[in-house]
Each structure stands twice: as structure tokens, then as C-alpha cells.
């Protein structure tokens, strides 16, 4: 897994998008791009970037709306790219929660300097709220919530749930789970994963709510909604 800072670029113009992708990748950043607001919100959840470059003028949901939505759950550094010099546009960006803005056209070296400044300012692990369906996990308070039910988690329950929420809809093999949560030294023949999955199910299925952590027999576990889980054997 890469430890380079991850930057998400949201830009509908192909020319600028590929310019940013190339320039920032060359600088050693891990870069992923989105072409519109909706896919940006989706990519934000999946990719978990360290910084967002966000164009204001996007088709459909604009950059200001994207910024507000992301600010509901995250204090990630956001640098807005705006084509307009008007003061009210810059103010709108900052009001929406952006940390900084740059007016197009801009020089790559100015962008690079702003990115470095924002990444320096950012706390190393800002609290995040992972969301999957109506399940939420707060990395700051280390508590979970599903619908009206909030619940506390022990250290290992928290680590296991965070692993699932970082990898929604991906099947996690038992060995992967051992390595990430318990470390390589742990006795793999024990039923520790089953025990902790049971604890998590008790906490996340309160009030008769649907199962989110499913067993894939002989393989491991997956977090997903029941409607897209036709092949799951419990
Ligand atoms: Ca644009």
C-alpha cells in the first residue's frame, strides 16, 4: 500500500484533469480523478484522500455543494479551483468550507506550494466518520451508530469494524483480517474472528436491523447490504 499523500482531483475539463493528474503524479502524490460531483462523493468514500482539489463549476452538483457535503463528515483539506475572480465566488467557496482557493488559470508551481502548505497544516489523522448504509463509525470518538442506536466498541471490535468500513463490499479473507487486526503472531486456528464478528453483529443489528457483516463460507467476511448479496451463504 502506498504511503504517498493521496489527492483527489475533481474537474470536468479533460485537459485540466490530465494536466493535474500528470503534474501531481510526477511530484510523487497518489492521484485519483473524478469528473463530476456525484462521482467525487463516491470516490471520496472509497479512496479516502488526504486532500481534495475541487473545481467549482461542475455539471450537475457543483463544487460548492460537493464541499458542503464532504464537510458534514470530514475536515480534510479542500482547495477550490475557480474560474472566476469575483470576490463573492471566493467567499462562497470559503463559506462552503474550503480551506483555500486558486483562480484559473494558475501556475503549477503555485498549486504545488498551496498543496504542500495544506498538507503540512492537516493533522496526521483527522477524525473521520465512515458511513455504510445507515451505519456510521466515528474515528474520533471510536463509537459506532446505526439508525437511532449508538454503541461503544472495544479496541479490537473497533479495529475490525473500521477494517470492514474501509473496504465496503470487498470480501476480506480470514488471513487478511488476522494480519490487520491481530497481527501475524496470532494463532490462526482460533475462532477469534468469529467471536468478534458475533460481537459486532450484536451491536450493529440492534432493533432488528438487517445484517451487514456476512460470512463467506471457507473464505472470510464481507460488509454489504443484503440486496446485493444474493450469492452469500450464511
Ligand atoms: Ca469546470
Amino acid at each position: 500500500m502506498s504511503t504517498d499523500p493521496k489527492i483527489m482531483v475533481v474537474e470536468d475539463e479533460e485537459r485540466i484533469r490530465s494536466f493535474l493528474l500528470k503534474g501531481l503524479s510526477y511530484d510523487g502524490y497518489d492521484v485519483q480523478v473524478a469528473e463530476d460531483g456525484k462521482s467525487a462523493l463516491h470516490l471520496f468514500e472509497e479512496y479516502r484522500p488526504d486532500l481534495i482539489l475541487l473545481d467549482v463549476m461542475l455539471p450537475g452538483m457543483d463544487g460548492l455543494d460537493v464541499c458542503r457535503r464532504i464537510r458534514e463528515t470530514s475536515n480534510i483539506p479542500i482547495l477550490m479551483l475557480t474560474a472566476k475572480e469575483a470576490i463573492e465566488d471566493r467567499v462562497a467557496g470559503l463559506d462552503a468550507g474550503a480551506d483555500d482557493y486558486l483562480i484559473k488559470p494558475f501556475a503549477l508551481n503555485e498549486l504545488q506550494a498551496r498543496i504542500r502548505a495544506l498538507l503540512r497544516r492537516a493533522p496526521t489523522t483527522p477524525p473521520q466518520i465512515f458511513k455504510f448504509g445507515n451505519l456510521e463509525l466515528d474515528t474520533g470518538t471510536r463509537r459506532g451508530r446505526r439508525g437511532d442506536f449508538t454503541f461503544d466498541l472495544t479496541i479490537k471490535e473497533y479495529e475490525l469494524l473500521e477494517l470492514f468500513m474501509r473496504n465496503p463490499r470487498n470480501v476480506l479473507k480470514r488471513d487478511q483480517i488476522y494480519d490487520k487486526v491481530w497481527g501475524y503472531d496470532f494463532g490462526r486456528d482460533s475462532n477469534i474472528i468469529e467471536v468478534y464478528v458475533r460481537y459486532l453483529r450484536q451491536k450493529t443489528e440492534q432493533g432488528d436491523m438487517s445484517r451487514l457483516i456476512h460470512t463467506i463460507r471457507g473464505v472470510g467476511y464481507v460488509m454489504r447490504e443484503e440486496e446485493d448479496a444474493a450469492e452469500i451463504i450464511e
Side-chain angles (χ1 to χ4, degrees):
M1 216 158 82
S2 166
T3 53
D4 295 327
K6 289 157 59 170
I7 298 181
M8 178 171 94
V9 173
V10 188
E11 170 61 76
D12 58 314
E13 257 180 87
E14 157 63 23
R15 189 177 53 85
I16 301 176
R17 206 167 54 235
S18 59
F19 167 74
L20 292 172
L21 178 60
K22 274 184 210 147
L24 297 174
S25 301
Y26 185 79
D27 283 347
Y29 296 111
D30 191 270
V31 185
Q32 291 208 12
V33 297
E35 300 177 24
D36 59 61
K38 257 187 97 173
S39 49
L41 292 176
H42 185 71
L43 182 62
F44 174 70
E45 296 294 329
E46 301 275 309
Y47 179 47
R48 291 278 148 196
D50 298 302
L51 182 144
I52 301 174
L53 284 187
L54 181 57
D55 184 33
V56 175
M57 302 291 282
L58 295 168
M61 180 189 285
D62 72 13
L64 297 175
D65 287 333
V66 173
C67 189
R68 284 187 206 102
R69 288 284 296 277
I70 288 174
R71 277 290 174 261
E72 288 171 10
T73 62
S74 170
N75 58 0
I76 181 175
I78 298 177
L79 175 57
M80 296 284 256
L81 303 176
T82 170
K84 300 175 185 173
E85 289 210 43
I87 286 185
E88 48 271 30
D89 288 308
R90 296 182 234 163
V91 170
L94 297 173
D95 277 348
D99 297 283
D100 199 359
Y101 59 87
L102 204 51
I103 296 160
K104 294 181 188 172
F106 50 83
L108 186 59
N109 60 3
E110 184 175 10
L111 176 68
Q112 290 162 329
R114 304 254 184 140
I115 288 173
R116 285 194 299 272
L118 282 174
L119 286 173
R120 268 199 305 274
R121 241 171 55 196
T124 46
T125 50
Q128 292 181 338
I129 296 180
F130 288 102
K131 288 189 179 176
F132 184 75
N134 62 352
L135 176 64
E136 295 181 8
L137 180 67
D138 186 324
T139 66
T141 62
R142 295 173 76 89
R143 299 187 81 205
R145 190 165 105 121
R146 186 151 185 222
D148 295 331
F149 297 93
T150 53
F151 49 89
D152 288 307
L153 296 157
T154 65
I155 289 171
K156 289 301 176 194
E157 288 172 350
Y158 173 86
E159 289 179 5
L160 182 57
L161 186 55
E162 185 182 329
L163 181 63
F164 282 121
M165 298 201 70
R166 281 183 184 276
N167 299 279
R169 291 175 291 276
N170 289 325
V171 174
L172 298 171
K173 294 181 190 158
R174 294 171 53 86
D175 279 0
Q176 286 177 294
I177 298 174
Y178 274 128
D179 292 348
K180 297 261 188 207
V181 178
W182 282 276
Y184 290 86
D185 298 334
F186 203 90
R188 281 161 198 254
D189 297 326
S190 77
N191 64 344
I192 191 92
I193 298 181
E194 285 80 343
V195 170
Y196 275 83
V197 164
R198 197 161 67 233
Y199 293 157
L200 286 182
R201 284 175 176 162
Q202 282 164 5
K203 293 187 174 183
T204 58
E205 294 171 18
Q206 295 175 80
D208 231 358
M209 278 195 264
S210 62
R211 178 145 296 179
L212 292 177
I213 303 170
H214 302 271
T215 307
I216 307 292
R217 193 173 292 167
V219 182
Y221 296 89
V222 63
M223 172 174 275
R224 58 185 163 197
E225 310 266 18
E226 276 177 336
E227 49 269 32
D228 56 27
E231 73 273 36
I232 286 174
I233 307 155
E234 285 291 311

